[in-house]
Amino acid sequence: DVDIKTVTAGPNPWDVAFINFRYTDSQNHYYFLIKTDGTLELSKWKNGIQYWLVEKPSAYSPFNWNRIKVDTTGGNIKIYVNSILEIDYTDLDPLTQGKIGLAPYYCHAHFDNVNVQDKNQAQGDTSGEWVGILGRNWQSNIEIRLEEDPTTGNVAVYKEEGIKEVHTKNAD
């Protein structure tokens, strides 16, 4: 789950905050977005070919905070927006593995309260590789663990070799 908000969109309706999942590379992944007209879009790139799986009109605005949950099991993809199941799609030719990523696609976007769970990972296991999508076709492969300080809301990022960064919670 993640809270997303597009602050300033680009010139196209799809120039908003994206959630990428089962991300292998720019040619193989799924993504979800709320377009500027409220359309919900679930799409897939596979072997360099783009497939629009679901486009659904909605009253959601990408300029408001929206809590997005992506739940995948095999080829089934469920997308929840603000706790409401909006998309329940089964891909007959699914991508079955990959990373997650948050992408401001030609826009200024905010992401908050990120919660990622791997159904195949043992409870409490915080190891593993994570890929953060930083922008259009930018990526970083790093070993990472996130910890939020419940008192201050600050987030500590633990990287390889014991490197620790502390990110201070913003007011917005």
Side-chain angles (χ1 to χ4, degrees), residues 66-87:
N66 292 289
R67 182 84 181 153
I68 308 299
K69 178 179 179 180
V70 178
D71 187 8
T72 59
T73 305
N76 183 253
I77 301 167
K78 290 182 171 69
I79 308 284
Y80 297 82
V81 180
N82 301 328
S83 301
I84 298 169
L85 178 62
E86 292 291 351
I87 295 175

Side-chain angles (χ1 to χ4, degrees), residues 1-4 16-25 28-33 68 70 97-105 109-112 114-117 129-141 144 146:
D1 328 38
V2 62
D3 294 330
I4 65 171
V16 294
F18 274 51
I19 299 174
N20 294 287
F21 56 100
R22 293 190 172 170
Y23 187 98
T24 303
D25 56 39
N28 295 283
H29 64 278
Y30 292 98
Y31 65 85
F32 172 77
L33 67 138
I68 308 299
V70 178
Q97 60 185 358
K99 312 297 183 210
I100 60 98
L102 306 174
Y105 189 80
H110 290 180
F111 303 90
D112 202 358
V114 179
N115 179 27
V116 180
Q117 295 178 333
E129 187 178 15
W130 182 79
V131 174
I133 307 304
L134 307 172
R136 187 172 191 273
N137 293 325
W138 303 343
Q139 69 178 18
S140 172
N141 292 312
I144 189 170
L146 303 175

